[in-house]
Amino acid sequence: MSEETIFSKIIRQEIPAPLLYQDELVSAFRDISPRVSSHILIVPNKVIATINDVTVDDELTMGRMISVAKKLAKEEGIDETGYRLIINCNEDGGQEVFHIHMHLLGGQYLGPMLCLPTLSKKG
Ligand code: 5GP
């Protein structure tokens, strides 16, 4: 498995992107293409490609991602109005970057949980 992703470079600040949070396990920064007014990505510092690759050794990291989401939601001022946390997995989940990341989405009403495409992209 490659240890190099676009997110690794952001975490190491080889690609400039303001970090909203960083500790020994996770980092957080704004999505480059925000879908809503508050769209933050919370990412493990080590590359874990998908949720399918999570092991028991990653439980602290995965839990930390939730804690950081909670902290950032408060800082964004969306904790009371509400927000959504999403981790996409593989093709049907719509995953594009194979380095686990949790989307923190909020700042406006997000509507129903899922908006399914009319036609399957698999045809
Ligand atoms: P996925 O579809 O894999 O769950 O989400 C990947 C997300 O990463 C997308 O929302 C996309 O806009 C974001 N993204 C892709 N490349 C970059 C980048 O270079 N910088 C930042 N900040 N976000 C990125």
Side-chain angles (χ1 to χ4, degrees):
M1 180 176 64
S2 168
E3 289 296 313
E4 196 57 36
T5 70
I6 191 83
F7 292 164
S8 306
K9 292 182 179 177
I10 292 172
I11 290 163
R12 293 199 304 264
Q13 290 286 275
E14 291 167 15
I15 295 176
L19 295 175
L20 302 181
Y21 179 89
Q22 188 165 60
D23 65 20
E24 78 284 10
L25 294 177
V26 307
S27 301
F29 45 88
R30 292 195 191 277
D31 196 292
I32 200 169
S33 178
R35 312 312 197 278
V36 290
S37 53
S38 243
H39 188 173
I40 293 171
L41 302 175
I42 300 150
V43 184
N45 293 340
K46 82 166 192 179
V47 178
I48 307 170
T50 78
I51 287 288
N52 292 336
D53 301 300
V54 169
T55 71
V56 288
D57 291 341
D58 300 317
E59 287 177 358
L60 183 62
T61 300
M62 300 308 291
R64 184 71 59 85
M65 288 167 72
I66 299 270
S67 299
V68 171
K70 171 193 161 183
K71 170 185 159 58
L72 292 175
K74 188 168 179 60
E75 287 178 11
E76 290 285 290
I78 60 173
D79 54 328
E80 294 300 329
T81 49
Y83 53 91
R84 187 171 293 161
L85 302 177
I86 296 175
I87 302 178
N88 295 320
C89 182
N90 279 339
E91 186 180 357
D92 280 358
Q95 185 174 4
E96 292 173 359
V97 178
F98 287 83
H99 183 158
I100 287 177
H101 46 284
M102 177 181 286
H103 296 258
L104 166 60
L105 300 154
Q108 62 196 73
Y109 179 60
L110 298 175
M113 187 170 73
L114 283 177
C115 180
L116 294 171
T118 313
L119 296 172
S120 165
K121 73 174 181 177
K122 288 180 175 172

